[in-house]
Amino acid sequence: MKQLLEESRLSLNIGVVQTAYANSASTHFLRRHGVPVACVPTGVKHLHRRAEEYDIGVYFEANGHGTVLFSETAMERIQYAAGSDKASPSAVHLLQFTRLINSSVGDAITNILAIEAILRLQQLSPADWNNQYTDLPYRQLKVNVRDRNLIKTEDAERRVSEPVGLQDRIDGLVGGYGVGGARCFVRPSGTENCVRVHAECQTQREADKLAMEVGSMVVDFIEEMFTSKL
């Protein structure tokens, strides 16, 4: 879509909205190609609201929920560019894309059709598309704690603000897997009395190990808090 905008000579800002669960490799890939990426807390309502701040906002949660939003300004400019006598093929394709995408709700069928159209325009096979970048190995798990509400997060749920000291311990464990080669965050579940752990590393073995180490540490940390109050 960024390429179609450039070829149509349309000055519109485009951005991608992700959550902390988005694989780091996808974020780096987008930024390498000059696409702004924002991170928001988990939940479609947060992604949708942030995507509305762009002329063209793209958002998809790691579970697949998402769509593409076009502002009124974007629609007016795209329609004008595609409707002129000297309309470029890219402008026409862009207009067709806006008509295909269901911006009101995430629609898996239209999303698949949109991907098929993009691959044809780019002359890419599904394998070519899949090979553009490789996800970092990751592990997700949940650990049961006495009270998940003791944990508060900030920075789009990527860091722990409370209890004090917990984030430092997480950073310490992550640091053992090399600078820039790993990340891990924890967040209280919105539906269960547990804490969810997400870890990424250069290898699957390391990701599994880091997730287990952080999960065990979180349980011990919360238990220490309860014990100290007795």
Side-chain angles (χ1 to χ4, degrees):
M1 192 175 300
K2 186 172 182 289
Q3 180 179 332
L4 291 178
L5 286 173
E6 293 173 349
E7 293 174 351
S8 302
R9 297 183 179 181
L10 287 170
S11 181
L12 296 171
N13 66 71
I14 181 172
V16 173
V17 186
Q18 299 181 327
T19 69
Y21 285 106
N23 197 277
S24 296
S26 69
T27 307
H28 296 326
F29 174 81
L30 289 166
R31 287 177 173 161
R32 281 199 306 272
H33 287 78
V35 179
V37 181
C39 187
V40 299
T42 304
V44 169
K45 65 179 181 181
H46 299 297
L47 288 111
H48 194 94
R49 188 180 303 121
R50 184 68 177 84
E52 289 179 322
E53 296 180 17
Y54 298 101
D55 290 322
I56 302 177
V58 183
Y59 74 87
F60 285 94
E61 287 195 288
N63 60 19
H65 297 159
T67 189
V68 182
L69 304 182
F70 298 89
S71 69
E72 290 185 11
T73 298
M75 288 302 303
E76 290 173 358
R77 293 184 181 177
I78 292 170
Q79 289 170 350
Y80 180 81
S84 68
D85 294 335
K86 297 181 180 180
S88 67
S90 295
V92 175
H93 289 151
L94 196 54
L95 178 60
Q96 292 171 335
F97 191 82
T98 67
R99 292 172 175 172
L100 175 60
I101 285 293
N102 186 337
S103 293
S104 299
V105 294
D107 186 328
I109 300 300
T110 58
N111 290 343
I112 290 174
L113 292 174
I115 290 171
E116 177 68 20
I118 292 169
L119 294 181
R120 284 175 178 260
L121 287 172
Q122 295 292 316
Q123 297 184 328
L124 296 173
S125 69
D128 293 331
W129 179 42
N130 186 58
N131 292 331
Q132 289 192 341
Y133 72 87
T134 302
D135 278 341
L136 284 172
Y138 69 94
R139 174 63 61 200
Q140 295 178 359
L141 55 83
K142 63 179 182 179
V143 293
N144 295 318
V145 295
R146 292 203 195 191
D147 185 1
R148 72 181 189 277
N149 295 315
L150 289 174
I151 295 180
K152 309 295 183 183
T153 62
E154 59 186 3
D155 190 23
E157 301 179 318
R158 290 175 291 188
R159 295 187 65 80
V160 174
S161 57
E162 295 180 23
V164 176
L166 179 55
Q167 185 60 54
D168 289 338
R169 292 199 188 182
I170 295 173
D171 291 341
L173 291 172
V174 172
Y177 290 82
V179 178
R183 77 177 181 110
C184 184
F185 69 88
V186 302
R187 56 178 288 271
S189 170
T191 56
E192 305 173 70
N193 190 32
C194 66
V195 174
R196 302 194 183 279
V197 181
H198 177 96
E200 293 177 9
C201 286
Q202 294 298 314
T203 68
Q204 189 62 58
R205 181 179 180 181
E206 289 181 336
D208 294 343
K209 185 180 178 183
L210 177 58
M212 291 298 297
E213 289 176 349
V214 171
S216 297
M217 182 274 293
V218 168
V219 172
D220 292 342
F221 195 98
I222 298 299
E223 284 300 313
E224 289 174 11
M225 291 182 63
F226 274 96
T227 300
S228 65
K229 292 179 180 179
L230 296 179

